[in-house]
Amino acid sequence: GQQLNQSPQSMFIQEGEDVSMNCTSSSIFNTWLWYKQDPGEGPVLLIALYKAGELTSNGRLTAQFGITRKDSFLNISASIPSDVGIYFCAGMNYGGSQGNLIFGKGTKLSVKP
Amino acid sequence: NAGVTQTPKFQVLKTGQSMTLQCAQDMNHNSMYWYRQDPGMGLRLIYYSASEGTTDKGEVPNGYNVSRLNKREFSLRLESAAPSQTSVYFCASSARGGDGYTFGSGTRLTVV
């Protein structure tokens, strides 16, 4: 089946630093999503991308839908302690009324105050 | 604004026991999903229901059954629990294909 390669697996950064993570696929998606999971909670949607080349921001977060449709990137600027968590990319191809998300294995972010 | 509600939050089972994980959403979403999350494996789809009255297998359906009871509720049943089913289970819903999913807060299941 389809697989997503998400990197890095983990990051340890200083508060105030910028963060970059990415996700690549062996096949094309027509939707890319980025989620964040806090400890003990379910994933929460951060950004959704629907068009190749699209660049979308949500506060300090910026995500891009790769032009090849096989990759996506998430950047976090000026990190703060509450950015700690696991970030998941997810890709989807939907047709008709149904689309199933395929998830990457996550990037665990730790922020030192 | 409950969103997606899962019960129970924690459960310990003995090998061979059965149980049903409950999920309900109040957003009038058509599609519902069950995922399991294991360390280093990300989220893997067990079963999904595109609409009321339909269910389909996902990536890892073995050992599980599901019921879409009505538009709001989608349950996951383990008939004979095994230690390999120790995991965190998440239910999710979406309005339609192409929308992001809304997740519940999970059920942490341990099978001993």
Side-chain angles (χ1 to χ4, degrees), chain A residues 31 33 35 37 40-43 45 50 86 88 92 94 96-105, chain B residues 31 33 35 37 40-43 45 48-50 90 96-105 108:
Chain A
T31 299
L33 304 166
Y35 283 85
Q37 185 179 27
E41 298 294 328
L45 182 65
Y50 299 107
I86 303 176
F88 291 99
M92 178 193 293
Y94 64 91
S97 63
Q98 181 55 36
N100 290 335
L101 280 179
I102 309 296
F103 282 86
K105 295 183 179 180
Chain B
S31 302
Y33 313 84
Y35 282 86
Q37 183 177 29
M41 298 296 290
L43 290 144
L45 182 64
Y48 66 97
S49 171
F90 288 100
R96 62 175 181 89
D99 288 345
Y101 297 178
T102 300
F103 282 84
S105 57
R108 195 169 294 270

Side-chain angles (χ1 to χ4, degrees), chain B residues 27-47:
Chain B
M27 297 170 286
N28 202 35
H29 283 173
N30 290 315
S31 302
M32 297 185 74
Y33 313 84
W34 277 104
Y35 282 86
R36 62 177 288 173
Q37 183 177 29
D38 303 294
M41 298 296 290
L43 290 144
R44 293 182 292 170
L45 182 64
I46 305 171
Y47 271 93

Side-chain angles (χ1 to χ4, degrees), chain B residues 41-84:
Chain B
M41 298 296 290
L43 290 144
R44 293 182 292 170
L45 182 64
I46 305 171
Y47 271 93
Y48 66 97
S49 171
S51 60
E52 186 178 353
T54 69
T55 60
D56 285 289
K57 295 178 180 179
E59 180 185 356
V60 288
N62 291 344
Y64 305 95
N65 286 301
V66 290
S67 295
R68 183 75 182 266
L69 304 169
N70 48 55
K71 192 171 186 179
R72 291 186 63 246
E73 298 172 286
F74 188 38
S75 62
L76 178 72
R77 182 160 178 84
L78 287 70
E79 290 291 350
S80 179
S84 61

Side-chain angles (χ1 to χ4, degrees), chain A residues 40-61:
Chain A
E41 298 294 328
V44 174
L45 182 65
L46 297 174
I47 294 178
L49 303 157
Y50 299 107
K51 189 176 176 182
E54 180 181 355
L55 187 72
T56 298
S57 293
N58 178 5
R60 293 177 296 104
L61 277 62

Side-chain angles (χ1 to χ4, degrees), chain A residues 14-55:
Chain A
Q14 202 75 34
E15 182 177 359
E17 289 182 352
D18 296 342
V19 173
S20 292
M21 58 190 79
N22 68 81
C23 208
T24 59
S25 169
S26 57
S27 54
I28 290 171
F29 288 113
N30 59 25
T31 299
W32 281 96
L33 304 166
W34 284 92
Y35 283 85
K36 183 194 177 194
Q37 185 179 27
D38 291 326
E41 298 294 328
V44 174
L45 182 65
L46 297 174
I47 294 178
L49 303 157
Y50 299 107
K51 189 176 176 182
E54 180 181 355
L55 187 72

